[in-house]
Amino acid sequence: MSVAATSLGHVYLGHVFHVTGSPTLAEAPAHLVSLPQGALVTASDGTIAWVGRAADLPAGFSSLPVTDTGGGFILPGFVDTHIHFPQTYSTDAYGGGQLLEWLDNCVFPAETRLQDDEFAAAIARDFTRRRTAAGTTSALVFGSAFPHAQDALFAESERAGLRLVSGRGIQTVGPESASALVTSEARALDLVGDEISRWHARDTGDPRTALLQVAVVPRFSLSVTPHTLAALGELYDGVRGDGVYFHSHLNENNRPETGEIDVVKAIYQVENYLDTYDGKFLPGSVVGGSSLLGRRSILAHAVHCEDVELSRLAETGSSIAHCPTSQQFLGSGTMPWTRTTGFGVNVALGSDIGAGDEWLMSRVLNDCFKVHLSEPGDAGLSISPAELLFTATLAGARALDMEERYGNLDVGKDADFLLIEPDRWEPLAAVLANGIRADDEAMATDQTLFALLMALRQPAITGVFVRGRRVTAP
């Protein structure tokens, strides 16, 4: 990977789409900006200096170099809030069952391969290359159990100039297939502390601006014990103020008796799954330690939450990483969109590579639209194009507590954006050129954005920028 930088500002021309301001999901349509002959100007410090109609470009920017997409588009960079680095090669892996069988037969053996230094270095390069090609400028990455693999991931991301939040996958208990991934509790705590000290905000020293950040990441409640959760809560109390994140899985599989949720409840004897992360992991949901929930806490899936869990997530400012693609692959069901968002929980998007097999976040949006349109009865809905774009960009930045830095193209934010040239992918160009458009301008705008998101493929992404710097793969 290499990063090309310009010491001066730059002007980019194209159809600009983004969700401006700081709206809620429901407010996103009213905040959608569409500038068909638009311009985005980056400043020398990597921030956005100006955005508007190209015809209104201030004279002070007229001498800057110009990149014209030739009728293409400019979007905010995509934000992936749940993706597994060690599962880069595990997409479309046949495991003969749902979540727990798939983990046992496919994932744990695949993740064990990262013990090898050379393999870990190769998968880190491929992971970074693939997320770059997909326009994922920021990602919350479920990491490897092995410190050298995590070092390779952070080093490749730093070299590329991408945003990365990651933490080693913590397991202190597990089946035989996961034996190489399991450590003692003391060792797990030491490794987490070491990763935080060496990589958290390493590039700027400030978690409000850093590209590289660290999360505390137990795989799920079945991979640790109540004693481990107590120790992690104590550790997190000491680093929460430094902007360290918490990330794990929640309520993914509800198969009766033998599925993830029922097994968690049976082992911990708690009232609900979320209690195990909320410090209430002793039998009867008695408090046994500190809560891991909060503003920088993101729980993946949340397909089968109880009302009290959704209420608690909203109360603590925790976010959900919605993973519709992987939920279909593993037969996990569909997170109820209206019910979940109705509690005020911030819902961002996750590819969940490798149960998910789509690196491109707009492909995950494609699945998102379809599964929620197909929810039964009155729960089914057509998510608007603005809400889809919001979910893959600004909601992700909000989940990562970085909304002040990126997530849209507002002036003053870091210039994290994509250039899209439809002619590089003929089916996209054909849909955009020949699709039916309404006479009503607002509806026609929605139709264009929807077609762009649904039909986009990686070859059409011709520019990926973080802080105004073009990231390119060799």
Side-chain angles (χ1 to χ4, degrees):
M1 289 285 183
S2 63
V3 180
T6 92
S7 59
L8 301 175
H10 203 100
V11 177
Y12 299 89
L13 302 178
H15 187 155
V16 175
F17 273 122
H18 74 118
V19 178
T20 190
S22 184
T24 63
L25 173 71
E27 294 167 343
H31 285 248
L32 178 65
V33 171
S34 172
L35 299 167
Q37 285 82 43
L40 181 144
V41 181
T42 61
S44 59
D45 64 355
T47 61
I48 297 171
W50 188 85
V51 63
R53 295 194 316 145
D56 298 330
L57 184 71
F61 300 128
S62 60
S63 63
L64 294 178
V66 176
T67 296
D68 191 342
T69 62
F73 296 85
I74 303 173
L75 297 181
F78 291 131
V79 182
D80 189 342
T81 57
H82 185 61
I83 179 171
H84 290 260
F85 154 55
Q87 296 172 30
T88 297
Y89 305 143
S90 299
T91 55
D92 303 309
Y94 179 67
Q98 294 185 339
L99 173 64
L100 297 184
E101 295 80 24
W102 181 76
L103 289 172
D104 198 34
N105 296 328
C106 299
V107 168
F108 294 149
E111 294 195 2
T112 297
R113 297 180 69 193
L114 277 76
Q115 288 181 103
D116 179 81
D117 286 6
E118 290 186 6
F119 185 87
I123 199 172
R125 287 192 298 271
D126 285 349
F127 176 87
T128 305
R129 183 180 297 114
R130 291 181 190 182
R131 61 167 286 205
T132 301
T136 301
T137 53
S138 180
L140 174 54
V141 179
F142 206 103
S144 169
F146 304 109
H148 62 266
Q150 283 298 99
D151 287 346
L153 173 65
F154 275 104
E156 289 293 339
S157 298
E158 184 174 38
R159 188 175 299 115
L162 292 166
R163 297 184 187 272
L164 173 73
V165 179
S166 185
R168 68 172 299 272
I170 301 167
Q171 292 186 244
T172 58
V173 293
E176 178 61 29
S177 60
S179 60
L181 309 175
V182 174
T183 69
S184 69
E185 181 182 294
R187 177 65 172 157
L189 294 172
D190 285 345
L191 290 174
V192 172
D194 179 66
E195 186 171 43
I196 292 169
S197 67
R198 291 191 301 111
W199 286 109
H200 187 61
R202 160 175 161 148
D203 53 313
T204 69
D206 185 347
R208 296 170 298 178
T209 60
L211 297 183
L212 303 175
Q213 305 205 48
V214 174
V216 175
V217 187
R219 182 180 294 276
F220 57 171
S221 294
L222 296 179
S223 72
V224 292
T225 67
H227 196 267
T228 307
L229 286 171
L232 289 176
E234 184 176 351
L235 181 153
Y236 197 53
D237 281 346
V239 297
R240 184 193 293 266
D242 298 325
V244 173
Y245 293 81
F246 171 75
H247 186 44
S248 194
H249 298 87
L250 175 70
N251 287 327
E252 184 174 359
N253 181 280
N254 71 339
R255 185 173 62 199
E257 298 184 5
T258 60
E260 170 211 21
I261 297 171
D262 279 2
V263 174
V264 168
K265 288 182 177 180
I267 289 177
Y268 283 88
Q269 293 294 300
V270 290
E271 295 176 4
N272 62 71
Y273 194 155
L274 185 65
D275 280 348
T276 61
Y277 300 130
D278 200 14
K280 298 180 287 185
F281 45 74
L282 298 181
S285 289
V286 171
V287 174
S290 298
S291 176
L292 294 162
L293 305 182
R295 188 180 179 94
R296 288 197 167 196
S297 301
I298 302 93
L299 282 303
H301 302 296
V303 179
H304 307 287
C305 287
E306 300 174 21
D307 286 359
V308 67
E309 293 174 296
L310 293 174
S311 179
R312 181 61 175 159
L313 288 170
E315 177 188 357
T316 58
S318 306
S319 292
I320 291 171
H322 179 33
C323 307
T325 303
S326 69
Q327 286 155 21
Q328 293 179 90
F329 181 78
L330 292 176
S332 302
T334 298
M335 184 201 79
W337 181 269
T338 300
R339 175 172 166 265
T340 302
T341 59
F343 275 85
V345 186
N346 180 52
V347 175
L349 200 67
S351 66
D352 197 19
I353 296 291
D357 59 357
E358 297 285 2
W359 290 83
L360 182 58
M361 296 305 287
S362 60
R363 298 301 299 154
V364 182
L365 287 178
N366 189 298
D367 286 333
C368 182
F369 179 82
K370 292 171 182 175
V371 299
H372 295 299
L373 189 63
S374 302
E375 285 192 60
D378 293 340
L381 78 160
S382 175
I383 302 175
S384 74
E387 290 170 321
L388 292 171
L389 180 61
F390 171 88
T391 303
T393 56
L394 193 57
R398 184 171 297 168
L400 297 178
D401 192 29
M402 295 293 283
E403 186 178 359
E404 292 185 0
R405 304 304 308 172
Y406 61 89
N408 61 21
L409 303 178
D410 285 349
V411 170
K413 288 192 175 183
D414 288 349
D416 292 13
F417 64 97
L418 310 178
L419 301 182
I420 297 169
E421 297 182 33
D423 288 344
R424 300 292 186 94
W425 180 249
E426 187 274 335
L428 172 62
V431 166
L432 290 168
N434 300 302
I436 298 298
R437 297 290 180 267
D439 292 334
D440 177 78
E441 182 178 355
M443 175 58 76
T445 296
D446 280 350
Q447 290 170 330
T448 298
L449 177 57
F450 186 78
L452 174 63
L453 293 174
M454 295 299 103
L456 178 64
R457 300 294 189 277
Q458 291 178 4
I461 300 175
T462 58
V464 179
F465 295 80
V466 173
R467 283 188 183 159
R469 294 171 173 258
R470 181 188 287 268
V471 181
T472 58

